[in-house]
Amino acid sequence: RAQKNQELKDTAGKLEEKLQRALIQRSRDPKRIAADIQKLGEGMRAQVNAVERLRAAGQFAAPQLLATLRDESKARLHPHVIGAMVGIGRPMVYPLSIALADLEPIQQGQIARVLSEIGYPRSLPYIKQVIEDEKTDAATREMCQAAYAHLASRAGVTEGVNAAELYMTLAQNHYNAAVNRDMLPGYLPTDKTGIIWTFDRRAGLLPISVPGPVFGYILSMRASQRALSLNEHLSPALSLWLMANLSRENFMPDKATDKSYPKDWHPADYYLKVAGPLRQHDVLYRALQDRDYVLALDAIAALRLTAGTDALVNRQGTIQPLITALSYPDRRVRFNAALTMANARPNAPYNGSYRIVPVLCEAVRQSETRFAVVLSPDLDRANQLAGILRDQLKFEVAAGQTIEDVTDAIAAGPGVDLIVTSADSTATMDLHHSRSSNYKLVAAPLIALADNNAILAQMNQVFEGNMTVYPVLATQSADALKPAIDSAIKQFAGQPIGKDEALAFAMDALNMLWEITIGHGQVYQATEAQPTLIEALGDDRHSVVMRSAEILALFNDIKAQQAICNTAMNAKLPGKVRISLIDSLALSATHHGNLLTDTQIAKLLKIVNTAKGDMAQAAARAHGALTLPASHVVDMITK
């Protein structure tokens, strides 16, 4: 009643929350649980009430119920305990399954029967493990086989599946649930934690509380570990353990700890490196499938550190995840994949090798600026949308009626962060399909604007399940459009790249292009980067300008040498930058001769005649390398 009163609503809500927490804590009180277990043998009414309270305790009743079942002095309670376990149901499955393999034969048979009657297939691998154990008592094995057959039939599990494979399936289910943020049995919404169960023959069942966001990953790790303990050659289980462990670290809340992780174990990336390229490729493949850019970066980093050329450039298919990564929405993933592949220095072309230099060029042009493409059959509408994105949301924008109208702008840009279209659903679908052939567009989320709710409903139906197309109701307001843009980019393209990180990527890409150029490789053609490098000479990041000129100096091309000279003549640039550029001009002339125009030579001579210090020395080197007439020197001496 109080919650219906506006003035009392907040207070009543807080009170209800406290009451709920108190009830939960009371239900988990070990003394209360012990008392309820005793009441199981005190008649029908007491038993019904006790089971109801034990059901409220859920999984936390498991340790004392199992301890009672193991205590021969309490044999009179055993039938009631078994009934209570079945009555509590699913919350009992995980803790009882964990204990099953280490129980005495009689208790093993009893717990197997309980698990069978509860009917939840999560216990299948644990029961199968007992069946496959050569040390299992014959009578116990028979009871476990009956329990397994009942559960397997209900779950549709085929014959011939062994325990390791069942654990592998369980690990996959846990991992999928973690990725999809599904609630797993054992998760406590009120505490935002999950309970991991362990079993000790002396201490019995012991709970370990772990942070909720990583609960599923930890469960997946433990199931994978059991699979590997039964079959050390089960490679998919190792790959799954690696990615679950990495995700456990990646999604661990700030200042939280995982008490279930052994103290003598290494950080997750250690095991990924040790596992080698094949398993690293497995992790990368799954990360790309799940659009988990953090995990993808983990895998690429390990490949870059540990994989040789043969492991990266493999015609049998292990290269495919890295090639797929070149089209991944997150630029960090694209850039790191390209840097890794370029660093491999293959001796022969491979499927997708032509993609590497263009992505490196994209990294060179990368800055913190976001780039959007706006398309609309109505050019005025396209310009209006472009204005909103440019003026209010701070995008650089290329706008047009068709994709052909903005092709040049896309080619010149560092990559596309967003596509916005106001075309109808048919044209939007055509755009969606056509962009698959353009690596700069395939990675960008597409926002499709619908003029009314009917069209919006139609688009939602057409693009249902498509994670790259976001239909939204058309709006004239930046405030209304911004949430859709932020959501699309966040869900599909990861976090924006900041200024410092963009510079680091640009320099890494330039250094790799330098190595490709001096290596004269047959696979990657650095000359394909010439237009990007010439454009980079106008970059406001001086380190990018200087390194670009150093690479251009190695190209035997008139445009490259003349571009270096034009930039070096720019008096607005700092002295150290101009000196570096003139040195690059000298290097170009040394390798390729004088390719300058008379006007450019005249400007250089002016510097030769007027400069002092380091600038004069650099100009002198360029003059000599260009083999300009010695009369210039005579004039300087005699005048």
Side-chain angles (χ1 to χ4, degrees):
R1 287 198 303 270
Q3 287 191 343
K4 294 179 182 180
N5 186 316
Q6 194 62 34
E7 294 181 358
L8 299 176
K9 184 176 180 180
D10 290 342
T11 303
K14 292 177 182 178
L15 179 59
E16 183 181 33
E17 183 180 347
K18 288 188 176 183
L19 286 169
Q20 184 65 21
R21 286 186 173 275
L23 288 169
I24 291 170
Q25 290 177 357
R26 186 183 182 191
S27 69
R28 299 174 190 170
D29 180 14
K31 292 181 179 179
R32 183 183 178 89
I33 291 172
D36 285 330
I37 291 174
Q38 290 299 318
K39 291 177 181 178
L40 291 173
E42 295 179 2
M44 183 60 70
R45 178 180 291 275
Q47 183 183 66
V48 170
N49 291 335
V51 169
E52 190 64 29
R53 287 191 292 269
L54 290 170
R55 188 178 289 115
Q59 61 184 328
F60 294 98
Q64 292 191 61
L65 285 168
L66 185 59
T68 303
L69 194 63
R70 297 174 67 201
D71 188 344
E72 291 302 321
S73 68
K74 298 181 180 179
R76 70 176 187 85
L77 289 175
H78 290 180
H80 305 299
V81 165
I82 291 172
M85 288 176 170
V86 175
I88 294 171
R90 285 192 179 187
M92 299 297 293
V93 172
Y94 173 38
L96 294 182
S97 296
I98 289 294
L100 184 62
D102 294 315
L103 296 175
E104 295 299 322
I106 293 176
Q107 283 88 50
Q108 280 183 330
Q110 292 171 326
I111 295 303
R113 193 180 78 188
V114 168
L115 294 171
S116 174
E117 291 188 29
I118 292 174
Y120 190 42
R122 183 176 183 175
S123 61
L124 277 169
Y126 301 91
I127 299 174
K128 188 68 169 179
Q129 182 180 355
V130 174
I131 295 171
E132 292 177 356
D133 189 346
E134 296 178 353
K135 298 179 182 179
T136 298
D137 176 78
T140 301
R141 180 178 285 108
E142 186 175 342
M143 294 183 69
C144 288
Q145 285 175 333
Y148 179 84
H150 174 69
L151 286 169
S153 175
R154 292 187 59 179
V157 176
T158 58
E159 294 184 8
V161 181
N162 59 42
E165 293 167 335
L166 289 168
Y167 277 123
M168 177 65 196
T169 299
L170 180 62
Q172 288 174 328
N173 291 339
H174 288 325
Y175 190 87
N176 292 340
V179 169
N180 296 325
R181 304 293 187 267
D182 295 335
M183 189 179 296
L184 286 162
Y187 176 73
L188 308 175
T190 53
D191 302 336
K192 296 183 180 179
T193 60
I195 299 298
I196 298 296
W197 289 97
T198 63
F199 182 78
D200 180 86
R201 289 181 182 270
R202 283 184 156 185
L205 279 169
L206 299 171
I208 303 174
S209 179
V210 299
V214 298
F215 180 46
Y217 295 120
I218 295 172
L219 288 175
S220 181
M221 284 177 62
R222 298 175 82 85
S224 300
Q225 185 179 7
R226 281 180 173 258
L228 290 168
S229 69
L230 297 173
N231 181 358
E232 62 183 11
H233 302 295
L234 192 59
S235 296
L238 176 57
S239 299
L240 190 56
W241 186 91
L242 292 168
M243 65 183 73
N245 196 12
L246 288 161
S247 297
R248 180 191 63 84
E249 283 192 0
N250 293 339
F251 290 99
M252 185 73 66
D254 291 342
K255 299 181 180 180
T257 57
D258 174 14
K259 296 178 182 178
S260 71
Y261 199 72
K263 293 182 179 179
D264 58 345
W265 279 14
H266 297 280
D269 66 330
Y270 168 88
Y271 297 103
L272 184 63
K273 293 170 189 171
V274 172
L278 290 177
R279 304 288 73 80
Q280 292 159 6
H281 276 293
D282 288 346
V283 173
L284 177 57
Y285 177 79
R286 179 61 193 261
L288 297 177
Q289 293 292 105
D290 293 337
R291 296 188 296 120
D292 185 344
Y293 79 93
V294 179
L295 182 60
L297 290 173
D298 289 337
I300 293 172
L303 283 164
R304 193 171 184 182
L305 290 171
T306 63
T309 303
D310 290 340
L312 289 173
V313 184
N314 187 305
R315 287 182 172 81
Q316 280 68 51
T318 55
I319 193 176
Q320 293 309 312
L322 270 176
I323 293 301
T324 302
L326 295 172
S327 299
Y328 190 76
D330 187 88
R331 291 182 185 177
R332 293 177 182 85
V333 174
R334 293 205 299 276
F335 296 163
N336 279 292
L339 290 166
T340 299
M341 294 306 304
N343 193 51
R345 296 174 177 82
N347 295 319
Y350 55 86
N351 178 32
S353 58
Y354 68 93
R355 298 285 308 282
I356 303 304
V357 171
V359 176
L360 293 177
C361 290
E362 184 185 355
V364 171
R365 294 193 296 263
Q366 174 64 46
S367 69
E368 73 272 23
T369 302
R370 298 188 297 177
F371 188 82
V373 168
V374 175
L375 301 173
S376 174
D378 181 349
L379 188 57
D380 289 338
R381 176 62 170 152
N383 290 330
Q384 179 192 38
L385 290 168
I388 292 174
L389 288 168
R390 184 185 301 110
D391 300 335
Q392 300 181 51
L393 301 179
K394 307 307 179 185
F395 278 83
E396 284 190 8
V397 185
Q401 292 174 290
T402 67
I403 197 68
E404 288 75 18
D405 295 338
V406 294
T407 298
D408 291 343
I410 293 171
V416 177
D417 296 279
L418 179 72
I419 304 171
V420 179
T421 178
S422 63
D424 59 29
S425 57
T426 301
T428 301
M429 180 61 78
D430 290 341
L431 172 62
H432 171 61
H433 289 314
S434 65
R435 69 185 177 131
S436 62
S437 60
N438 187 324
Y439 81 94
K440 285 193 174 183
L441 296 179
V442 71
L446 193 161
I447 292 183
L449 300 177
D451 288 333
N452 54 58
N453 288 319
I455 296 176
L456 179 62
Q458 182 186 33
M459 284 189 171
N460 282 327
Q461 184 176 6
V462 170
F463 295 105
E464 183 178 5
N466 189 310
M467 301 302 293
T468 68
V469 181
Y470 299 80
V472 299
L473 199 61
T475 176
Q476 309 293 327
S477 164
D479 291 338
L481 190 58
K482 187 175 185 301
I485 293 174
D486 290 343
S487 177
I489 292 177
K490 182 177 180 180
Q491 289 183 42
F492 193 63
Q495 297 298 320
I497 291 178
K499 183 177 181 180
D500 292 342
E501 190 178 7
L503 177 59
F505 274 127
M507 294 308 298
D508 284 346
L510 286 168
N511 290 334
M512 191 57 67
L513 287 170
W514 165 270
E515 292 188 22
I516 291 172
T517 305
I518 63 174
H520 304 290
Q522 300 301 310
V523 178
Y524 308 127
Q525 301 300 319
T527 52
E528 296 176 3
Q530 180 171 299
T532 294
L533 295 171
I534 291 176
E535 179 187 345
L537 294 177
D539 201 297
D540 58 3
R541 298 170 295 182
H542 295 151
S543 56
V544 170
V545 173
M546 292 185 288
R547 193 57 165 161
S548 297
E550 290 169 358
I551 301 170
L552 285 169
L554 302 178
F555 294 170
N556 186 10
D557 187 273
I558 187 172
K559 291 181 180 179
Q561 188 177 109
Q562 291 183 1
I564 296 171
C565 183
N566 286 336
T567 309
M569 298 302 108
N570 183 358
K572 294 181 180 180
L573 289 174
K576 68 174 185 178
V577 178
R578 296 186 71 194
I579 290 170
S580 176
L581 289 165
I582 294 173
D583 283 341
S584 293
L585 176 60
L587 179 64
S588 174
T590 300
H591 288 298
H592 313 301
N594 184 351
L595 304 176
L596 299 182
T597 66
D598 291 342
T599 301
Q600 290 175 317
I601 292 172
K603 291 181 178 179
L604 178 63
L605 285 175
K606 184 177 180 181
I607 297 176
V608 170
N609 289 321
T610 59
K612 303 293 182 183
D614 292 340
M615 182 74 77
Q617 292 290 343
R621 288 192 294 273
H623 187 283
L626 289 162
T627 62
L628 296 177
S631 58
H632 297 151
V633 181
V634 174
D635 289 343
M636 294 173 67
I637 295 172
T638 59
K639 287 184 179 180

